[in-house]
């Protein structure tokens, strides 16, 4: 058995037809059929069920296909690791962005990566911060931007900045003219508050702060930022979010962001590199660009946050 046979079998299973697979692989059909028979003879089982419409993997064929795909993917990743070390940063790098930052950060990040790292193929993943944290530790993500991140064994990280949360209301709401509102008053208004549900980091920050100040943070749960935006836009709810999360709606005049005082809820943002990444050079390069993009947005007041005192911190080097 060799990698060529695994690749041939995987393509046949995915195509569902030997002739179609032969076209994709650009080899003669009789040769492909012979390679398949040789593989089945070696394993001593039928991997495919032949029928009038083509072929379908047997139960054992499906199991073998899963193993074959993983082997082929690992071989490609191994090649990518070697190539990334031998040349300029290259390869596919997966970057996790939290929902509250993804919309405003995606375009400038794509543009910056395209200019600075043309050989990098960027794959952006949007999810809640807790999910991103799990994926960065497991190596499913190479780089991520995380809120209130704690250091773990399998990640290297640099704290970037502190971002304050704000009370966001429909523009037509009477509170929209307020210059600030107290944390307690946020949950004492007639307009109900909608927030991401537990264990979302934003909800945790608010509830921990509320517990320390004897405030009951009553809120409706909603895990979707677009849905939260619609609920506020419809004047049915208010929310507590960073300004950057709903910057488009605020700039268009649909919503107003009111600073929260006494106390002011805030969270820290960190750029994180997985130590399980198979492309450390590419991951570190992308993380540096991400940190630079964030720093630029903050300096231009597009992103309302406070950078750490040091000049644009670069993410820590991930160690194997």
């Amino acid at each position: 058995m060799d990698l060529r046979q695994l690749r041939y079998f995987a393509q046949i299973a995915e195509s569902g037809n030997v002739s179609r697979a032969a076209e994709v692989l650009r080899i003669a059909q009789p040769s492909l059929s012979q390679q398949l028979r040789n593989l089945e003879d070696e394993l001593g089982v039928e991997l495919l069920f032949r029928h009038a419409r083509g072929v379908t993997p047997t139960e054992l064929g499906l199991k073998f296909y899963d193993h074959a795909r993983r082997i082929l993917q690992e071989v490609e990743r191994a090649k990518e690791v070697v190539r990334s070390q031998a040349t300029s940063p290259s390869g596919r790098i997966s970057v996790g962005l939290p929902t509250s930052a993804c919309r405003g950060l995606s375009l400038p990040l794509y543009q910056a990566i395209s200019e600075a790292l043309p050989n990098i193929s960027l794959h952006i993943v949007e999810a809640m911060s807790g999910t991103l944290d799990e994926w960065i530790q497991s190596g499913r993500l190479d780089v991520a931007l995380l809120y209130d991140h704690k250091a773990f064994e399998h990640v290297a990280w640099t704290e970037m900045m502190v971002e304050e949360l704000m009370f966001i209301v429909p523009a037509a709401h009477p509170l929209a003219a307020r210059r600030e509102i107290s944390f307690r008053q946020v949950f004492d208004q007639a307009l109900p508050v909608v927030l991401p549900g537990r264990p979302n980091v934003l909800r945790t920050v608010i509830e921990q702060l509320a517990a320390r100040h004897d405030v009951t943070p009553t809120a409706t749960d909603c895990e979707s930022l677009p849905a939260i935006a619609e609920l506020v836009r419809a004047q049915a709810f208010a929310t507590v979010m960073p300004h950057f999360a709903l910057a488009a709606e605020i700039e268009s005049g649909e919503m107003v962001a009111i600073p929260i005082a006494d106390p002011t809820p805030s969270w820290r943002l960190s750029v994180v590199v997985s130590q399980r990444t198979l492309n450390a050079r590419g991951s570190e390069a992308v993380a540096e660009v991400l940190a630079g993009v964030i720093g630029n947005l903050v300096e231009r007041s597009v992103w309302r946050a406070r950078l750490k005192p040091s000049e644009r911190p670069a993410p820590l080097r991930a160690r194997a």
Side-chain angles (χ1 to χ4, degrees):
M1 184 188 308
D2 55 32
L3 290 175
R4 181 181 58 177
Q5 288 177 313
L6 294 182
R7 186 167 61 252
Y8 287 176
F9 169 72
Q11 186 60 60
I12 294 171
E14 291 167 2
S15 299
N17 185 287
V18 177
S19 298
R20 192 175 304 122
E23 292 177 4
V24 173
L25 294 167
R26 295 186 178 181
I27 64 174
Q29 181 179 335
S31 177
L32 182 59
S33 297
Q34 184 61 52
Q35 289 288 345
L36 175 60
R37 283 194 295 270
N38 292 343
L39 182 60
E40 290 180 320
D41 289 343
E42 181 178 348
L43 294 173
V45 298
E46 282 194 353
L47 296 173
L48 297 171
F49 171 70
R50 282 79 168 172
H51 51 77
R53 295 185 303 278
V55 295
T56 303
T58 62
E59 183 176 351
L60 289 175
L62 285 173
K63 293 180 179 179
F64 186 74
Y65 171 77
D66 289 338
H67 286 287
R69 290 307 307 169
R70 282 198 293 269
I71 292 169
L72 293 170
Q73 287 168 357
E74 286 302 315
V75 169
E76 289 304 311
R77 293 182 73 182
K79 291 179 182 177
E80 187 175 280
V81 169
V82 174
R83 289 168 183 159
S84 69
Q85 298 300 318
T87 61
S88 61
S90 62
R92 183 176 185 268
I93 300 296
S94 56
V95 177
L97 298 179
T99 300
S100 60
C102 190
R103 181 168 58 167
L105 191 52
S106 295
L107 179 58
L109 179 58
Y110 267 117
Q111 292 173 333
I113 293 294
S114 177
E115 180 177 344
L117 302 169
N119 295 325
I120 290 289
S121 174
L122 190 64
H123 174 60
I124 288 181
V125 177
E126 176 186 355
M128 295 296 181
S129 194
T131 301
L132 296 178
D133 213 336
E134 293 176 9
W135 289 348
I136 201 78
Q137 291 179 58
S138 68
R140 183 171 173 180
L141 291 174
D142 300 299
V143 180
L145 176 65
L146 299 179
Y147 294 111
D148 276 14
H149 172 73
K150 297 178 177 61
F152 288 95
E153 178 184 358
H154 301 301
V155 297
W157 61 285
T158 290
E159 188 174 309
M160 279 290 304
M161 61 188 185
V162 176
E163 183 179 34
E164 294 181 353
L165 304 180
M166 306 184 80
F167 188 50
I168 299 178
V169 300
H173 194 274
L175 287 174
R178 293 278 294 269
R179 297 189 62 179
E180 69 175 27
I181 187 171
S182 74
F183 182 67
R184 184 179 299 275
Q185 289 175 327
V186 165
F187 301 99
D188 287 343
Q189 305 302 319
L191 193 63
V193 174
V194 59
L195 296 171
R198 304 179 190 91
N200 182 272
V201 176
L202 185 145
R203 186 64 168 265
T204 300
V205 167
I206 291 173
E207 291 187 345
Q208 289 177 347
L209 189 64
R212 293 197 298 269
H213 292 81
D214 194 28
V215 173
T216 303
T218 304
T220 296
D221 292 353
C222 182
E223 302 297 335
S224 166
L225 181 61
I228 289 175
E230 285 301 313
L231 291 171
V232 176
R233 186 181 289 111
Q235 303 184 37
F237 288 86
T239 190
V240 177
M241 282 279 165
H243 181 280
F244 193 60
L246 296 169
E249 289 80 3
I250 295 168
E251 290 175 8
S252 70
E254 296 176 276
M255 302 176 191
V256 173
I258 305 170
I260 302 173
D262 191 31
T264 299
S266 65
W267 53 15
R268 298 164 298 145
L269 289 88
S270 302
V271 173
V272 176
V273 177
S274 174
Q275 291 187 2
R276 293 183 181 272
T277 179
L278 292 180
N279 188 348
R281 190 178 181 199
S283 296
E284 291 162 11
V286 168
E288 285 193 32
V289 173
L290 173 59
V293 169
I294 293 171
N296 181 266
L297 290 172
V298 173
E299 289 168 358
R300 291 165 45 213
S301 299
V302 175
W303 195 328
R304 298 190 182 183
R306 299 189 305 277
L307 289 173
K308 295 286 287 184
S310 58
E311 295 182 3
R312 290 190 186 176
L316 296 176
R317 182 176 179 80
R319 297 176 298 276

